[in-house]
Amino acid sequence: MRLGNGRLTIGLTAIAVLAVAGGAAFAADRGPTTSPSTAALPLAPTPSGGAVPTVSLNLAQLPTGRAPQVAYLSGRVVKGGLGSDITVPGKQEILGAVRYDGEAMVILEVGVGGSELVQVGESTGIEPGTRVPDVASLVTSVDEDMIAFGTARRNADYTAARGNTVYLRDSFVEEELRRPNDWASTVLAVVGDTVYFAAQTDRDDQTSTLNAWHWKTGKVDLLSTFKSPADVDFQGARGVDQLSGAAQTFCSAIRQLADGKQLWRTCEYSLNGFTPGGGTVFATPDFRGEGGDPSTTAIDSRTGEVLRRWTGVQFLGTVAEDDDHLLMAVDTGENTAGAIIRCSIGSGSCELATGIAKTARRDDLRLLGSRT
């Protein structure tokens, strides 16, 4: 798995995978509305490779639209989505966050490679008694009233520790599933009464399994066709399975959860997330280091058909705002002006969702739920 900060060996690629869900449903319900003065100007897509409709972006020339309708981080402030702005106190690095029950659940870095989950209120700060150690993955349900999180414990020498836990929490229940043989338990989605999680089955993060925990009954189903699960869609219908590829590359496939059938595979793209309805998966090139990606691509999740590609800037993270709109954190390189932009899969047109701010990469504007 690719990690943007390289600090935790598993889990942060999946952090808050459903953080966009509540806000996305909110945005889709209302529909992205723009006045004539803020409407995204259509950009004429130009074919790339003869078949892929490609839009080349110039950040300085994009019109301004409305603010993101899903949660994002501006400095230490959780904004967007359902709820008021919430400031995360302290100086610990924020590894991930989601909206939950009018507040924010936040994963903070502890020491080198460690982490903890805290609950943060708008006026109360970090709620007493809410710290949970070793949490490295966190997701929320589509209406943000239920969360699931998993631990990836570390030894004193920062190596992985065996024995981890998956948690489910809402306003009425708190459930936990102990996994004594997991080297990490990484939640990918919570859909109704099912929590989907990846169980790391060896210390070196080489193998993992996909599991469905039916928390009301306690039953756990092993979805054995997945070899290295990386994501699950918002309906619990399809998932991303990472496969070994040629040297210095990897491949990934879309599989149906119900029967494990592989719908298609690619060795050209890294599949990073789904739109709320599950019809589109967004992707970046199959390998990168610590920098940004040169493109973001929207692909039909059922057929593998490439629907749209954006280039011209550096892409630092992407989440779906609704079934047609992607939000992307972008800049043009280290220490250059950055912003969150909104792009339409259908038309390719883009607009600014935040102002352009010159800040250190990833230090200011970050999309919660993006796998970077």
Side-chain angles (χ1 to χ4, degrees):
M1 291 187 181
R2 305 179 314 162
L3 296 181
N5 58 22
R7 297 179 186 272
L8 300 179
T9 58
I10 190 168
L12 294 185
T13 54
I15 231 168
V17 167
L18 296 185
V20 300
F26 173 70
D29 182 61
R30 291 180 54 185
T33 58
T34 52
S35 66
S37 63
T38 62
L41 299 179
L43 303 176
T46 55
S48 174
V52 180
T54 299
V55 175
S56 181
L57 298 172
N58 184 327
L59 190 59
Q61 295 181 0
L62 292 181
T64 299
R66 68 177 183 173
Q69 299 298 291
V70 300
Y72 68 101
L73 197 66
S74 178
R76 300 191 68 84
V77 182
V78 178
K79 296 186 173 184
L82 303 175
S84 304
D85 293 353
I86 295 178
T87 300
V88 182
K91 296 182 179 180
Q92 292 170 273
E93 182 177 352
I94 299 171
L95 301 178
V98 298
R99 294 278 194 183
Y100 171 66
D101 198 24
E103 297 190 338
M105 303 297 295
V106 182
I107 298 181
L108 300 174
E109 185 177 43
V110 177
V112 179
S115 59
E116 65 178 0
L117 177 70
V118 298
Q119 186 165 341
V120 184
E122 178 185 358
S123 59
T124 57
I126 295 177
E127 302 280 0
T130 64
R131 296 180 187 270
V132 182
D134 304 314
V135 172
S137 58
L138 170 67
V139 297
T140 182
S141 63
V142 70
D143 53 7
E144 296 181 347
D145 65 348
M146 183 180 297
I147 58 171
F149 47 98
T151 63
R153 296 173 51 242
R154 294 289 179 268
N155 296 312
D157 61 357
Y158 311 120
T159 58
R162 196 172 194 172
N164 285 278
T165 305
V166 179
Y167 299 86
L168 181 284
R169 181 185 297 175
D170 68 11
S171 300
F172 304 100
V173 300
E174 292 188 22
E175 301 287 345
E176 62 182 69
L177 175 69
R178 296 189 181 277
R179 301 283 297 182
N181 295 318
D182 289 1
W183 293 97
S185 301
T186 304
V187 292
L188 301 178
V190 54
V191 182
D193 64 354
T194 303
V195 176
Y196 296 94
F197 69 96
Q200 184 179 322
T201 54
D202 73 282
R203 186 170 184 168
D204 297 323
D205 191 18
Q206 298 299 311
T207 59
S208 57
T209 62
L210 180 59
N211 303 268
W213 171 34
H214 308 284
W215 57 269
K216 287 186 177 180
T217 65
K219 181 182 179 183
V220 179
D221 292 329
L222 173 65
L223 284 67
S224 59
T225 55
F226 282 78
K227 306 305 179 185
S228 185
D231 203 0
V232 169
D233 70 12
F234 296 91
Q235 291 74 38
R238 290 184 286 273
V240 175
D241 195 12
Q242 291 184 340
L243 311 170
S244 60
Q248 303 300 317
T249 67
F250 71 89
C251 303
S252 51
I254 295 290
R255 296 189 190 279
Q256 296 180 160
L257 270 64
D259 56 12
K261 179 183 178 181
Q262 178 179 300
L263 299 182
W264 53 275
R265 63 178 286 172
T266 176
C267 299
E268 183 178 357
Y269 298 103
S270 168
L271 307 178
N272 297 329
F274 294 89
T275 52
T280 303
V281 60
F282 45 89
T284 48
D286 74 333
F287 179 82
R288 73 151 187 269
E290 290 291 318
D293 280 301
S295 65
T296 289
T297 302
I299 305 172
D300 188 307
S301 66
R302 293 152 294 195
T303 66
E305 176 189 1
V306 176
L307 305 174
R308 187 78 58 184
R309 178 181 296 146
W310 294 269
T311 63
V313 293
Q314 291 290 303
F315 297 88
L316 307 179
T318 301
V319 298
E321 188 177 45
D322 55 45
D323 284 335
D324 182 55
H325 294 86
L326 301 180
L327 292 171
M328 310 175 194
V330 302
D331 62 19
T332 55
E334 291 286 353
N335 299 316
T336 62
I340 293 175
I341 65 174
R342 174 185 293 106
C343 295
S344 165
I345 298 170
S347 69
S349 62
C350 297
E351 64 187 13
L352 294 172
T354 69
I356 298 176
K358 188 172 182 179
T359 58
R361 180 170 287 191
R362 293 189 177 88
D363 281 355
D364 189 52
L365 294 171
R366 292 163 53 191
L367 285 164
L368 301 176
S370 63
R371 291 171 50 210
T372 56

